[in-house]
Amino acid sequence: MMNRWMSVVRQSPNGVDAWRAARLSRLKARRKLWLEVHGWLGLILGFCLAIFGITGSVLVFYEETDDWLNPGVIALANLVEGQEHFRPVDDIVEAARSVMPDRAQIGSIIYPRHDRRAYQFFYRVVTDNESTPELRHVFVNPYTAEVTGTRAVIERGRWLPDGFVPFMFQLHFALLAGNTGAVVVGIMGVISIISVLTGLIVWWPLTGKWRRALTIKRAASPERLNHDVHQTFGFYTALIMLAVLLSGVYMNLPDHFKVPVKLLSPNSRSFTDNPQSSPAAGRSPIGLDRALASVRRSYPEGRVNWLRLPEGETGVYTISIRDVPGLSRFWSERRLTVDQYSGAILTVHDPDTRTAAGDTFLDWMWPLHSGKVFGWPGRILIFVTGLACPVLYVTGVVRWLQKRRAKRSKKPPRPAGWGEARNRITGRSN
């Protein structure tokens, strides 16, 4: 094929122009195919992507929103003196357990991120139908160890969760459809990544008119304005959109997502570490307070972020510490596991102890998705990108309708005598 075109170039004084014109024609034909793919993917998934974008923008500030909407339950209004006056964590755990049924299991505990916030417990309540357990939140005052409130996130017989923030999370994560919805949303995320990539292919200026591809024309016609808005919003948010979609797929389909990561980075500690406690006769669990004290003796810097209790006899305490000075300028988290009987620190997972690229890749998924990896600028970028999703959907639909009307207006004229033939067939008179 290349030899044939080079022959044309040699034989014709305008061979170079002819070759460029032919190449451009091929690229435009290929671009038209990708435009069709991009258009149909947008029409099929665009509405759901708009929902994910809006809810994601809201959830960028979910902690602040939850505090604001739940005074006295999550945000404490009474005068406080600091975390040194917190009740023992074991007392806090016992208070939360006192309002939960016997079959309830603690998933994780969110430590107060400031002096005026309650502990937040995530409980999994096993029901008769074990495939769909109930999920509930319990809030406990850190100074008095009193339960300030509870709410149902997933409960049998109820379609909507309690509270605005849980509603946003369930809509964003699973379209309010439970585990099945989470899988569907994950698959939508994969297809949406393809949609963004095809959009970049369609956006690429084949004629080199980069300014037109990167800006919105002033005083443009409505059709051109709609096209430019769709194009520029899509381009300037594409990189962040891809990161958010990829991390979202990981959170919805973690087992499937980890398969290629494990193939590419089999030595990652995420796949090789399996810390376990060592039970022995006569020893009983030390309790969360002593486990936390053991960690803080070795790692006093930073703030406690979340805690997780052991599951079973060989389970371990897991403690996350955030904002560790000098650890990382982007996402400074250190996760430690502690033997539930001896208090010995079994593993330390932080940016300094990562052994493979797979660890770094997986550790960045949640910080990228939430925008917290870059602090407030990152959260604002995620917020803006989420709001771009409904803009892209609306302008995409408008663009599709414009093209549809244009095609209809370009229908060939009816042949002479068509009306007379129609009247004879239908029995109509002029």
Side-chain angles (χ1 to χ4, degrees):
M1 179 66 71
M2 180 59 68
N3 291 335
R4 181 162 64 89
W5 283 110
M6 291 305 294
S7 176
V8 171
V9 171
R10 287 194 297 267
Q11 295 174 8
S12 171
N14 296 321
V16 174
D17 292 339
W19 178 81
R20 287 176 176 172
R23 180 175 178 273
L24 182 60
S25 178
R26 292 198 310 274
L27 291 175
K28 285 183 176 180
R30 194 177 304 165
R31 180 181 180 277
K32 185 176 180 181
L33 173 63
W34 286 119
L35 182 60
E36 288 289 328
V37 174
H38 180 72
W40 282 110
L41 289 179
L43 287 173
I44 294 171
L45 297 178
F47 179 73
C48 290
L49 186 62
I51 292 176
F52 301 147
I54 294 171
T55 54
S57 292
V58 173
L59 291 174
V60 166
F61 308 105
Y62 76 93
E63 293 170 322
E64 293 83 357
T65 303
D66 226 7
D67 289 357
W68 177 61
L69 293 176
N70 296 277
V73 176
I74 302 176
L76 305 177
N78 57 304
L79 181 64
V80 294
E81 301 177 7
Q83 295 190 7
E84 65 274 13
H85 298 282
F86 280 10
R87 291 284 295 274
V89 182
D90 288 333
D91 293 350
I92 303 296
V93 172
E94 189 59 34
R97 279 180 174 159
S98 67
V99 297
M100 287 286 103
D102 294 336
R103 301 177 70 181
Q105 301 173 349
I106 297 178
S108 58
I109 308 168
I110 305 299
Y111 203 86
R113 59 188 175 88
H114 54 71
D115 294 346
R116 293 179 177 271
R117 201 173 200 270
Y119 280 91
Q120 182 175 359
F121 288 76
F122 290 74
Y123 266 95
R124 180 177 180 270
V125 183
V126 179
T127 61
D128 295 336
N129 184 3
E130 295 188 3
S131 62
T132 56
E134 296 181 351
L135 299 178
R136 299 181 189 174
H137 293 167
V138 179
F139 302 96
V140 181
N141 187 313
Y143 300 98
T144 63
E146 295 176 345
V147 174
T148 58
T150 64
R151 65 186 179 194
V153 179
I154 298 177
E155 189 174 25
R156 293 183 62 184
R158 293 187 59 180
W159 184 56
L160 296 177
D162 287 340
F164 176 75
V165 169
F167 170 76
M168 286 286 107
F169 265 113
Q170 290 301 311
L171 183 60
H172 181 77
F173 175 74
L175 292 176
L176 302 175
N179 293 333
T180 301
V183 173
V184 171
V185 170
I187 295 172
M188 286 183 178
V190 174
I191 300 174
S192 296
I193 291 174
I194 299 173
S195 178
V196 173
L197 293 176
T198 57
L200 288 174
I201 294 173
V202 171
W203 165 86
W204 190 272
L206 299 178
T207 56
K209 296 180 179 179
W210 291 97
R211 182 176 181 181
R212 179 175 180 179
L214 295 171
T215 58
I216 298 175
K217 183 180 179 181
R218 295 181 179 179
S221 66
E223 291 79 7
R224 174 65 186 273
L225 177 62
N226 182 81
H227 172 270
D228 287 356
V229 168
H230 185 84
Q231 183 173 257
T232 53
F233 270 64
F235 171 75
Y236 287 113
T237 61
L239 185 61
I240 302 173
M241 191 87 70
L242 287 172
V244 170
L245 288 171
L246 186 67
S247 55
V249 171
Y250 165 67
M251 285 182 279
N252 278 58
L253 304 172
D255 294 335
H256 299 82
F257 191 95
K258 288 179 180 179
V259 170
V261 177
K262 188 175 183 179
L263 289 174
L264 296 172
S265 184
N267 296 323
S268 299
R269 293 183 59 182
S270 303
F271 306 114
T272 58
D273 281 358
N274 185 28
Q276 293 184 335
S277 296
S278 302
R283 288 202 305 180
S284 58
I286 61 174
L288 184 53
D289 275 309
R290 290 178 59 188
L292 185 58
S294 174
V295 167
R296 295 309 263 173
R297 279 195 299 269
S298 300
Y299 300 96
E301 296 182 309
R303 66 176 181 85
V304 180
N305 187 30
W306 54 264
L307 316 164
R308 188 170 293 145
L309 301 183
E311 295 184 7
E313 291 184 351
T314 59
V316 296
Y317 291 105
T318 305
I319 298 171
S320 165
I321 301 176
R322 278 286 316 279
D323 303 331
V324 182
L327 188 60
S328 171
R329 61 182 298 184
F330 298 113
W331 182 249
S332 58
E333 181 187 32
R334 174 177 285 139
R335 293 194 304 274
L336 307 100
T337 59
V338 180
D339 188 296
Q340 65 170 302
Y341 303 102
S342 67
I345 297 176
L346 302 177
T347 62
V348 179
H349 189 103
D350 61 32
D352 292 338
T353 61
R354 292 171 182 153
T355 60
D359 293 320
T360 302
F361 183 70
L362 294 178
D363 285 351
W364 274 58
M365 289 295 100
W366 164 247
L368 280 175
H369 197 79
S370 63
K372 292 184 176 182
V373 66
F374 299 114
W376 274 99
R379 296 174 74 183
I380 293 172
L381 280 175
I382 297 297
F383 175 79
V384 173
T385 301
L387 294 182
C389 292
V391 174
L392 291 171
Y393 172 63
V394 172
T395 54
V397 171
V398 170
R399 183 63 179 159
W400 179 76
L401 293 173
Q402 289 171 348
K403 289 186 174 183
R404 191 177 180 187
R405 285 195 299 266
K407 286 182 179 180
R408 287 180 176 178
S409 64
K410 291 181 180 179
K411 285 184 177 180
R414 290 166 178 167
W418 180 87
E420 184 179 346
R422 181 202 62 184
N423 292 339
R424 285 201 303 268
I425 293 172
T426 59
R428 295 180 182 176
S429 60
N430 290 331

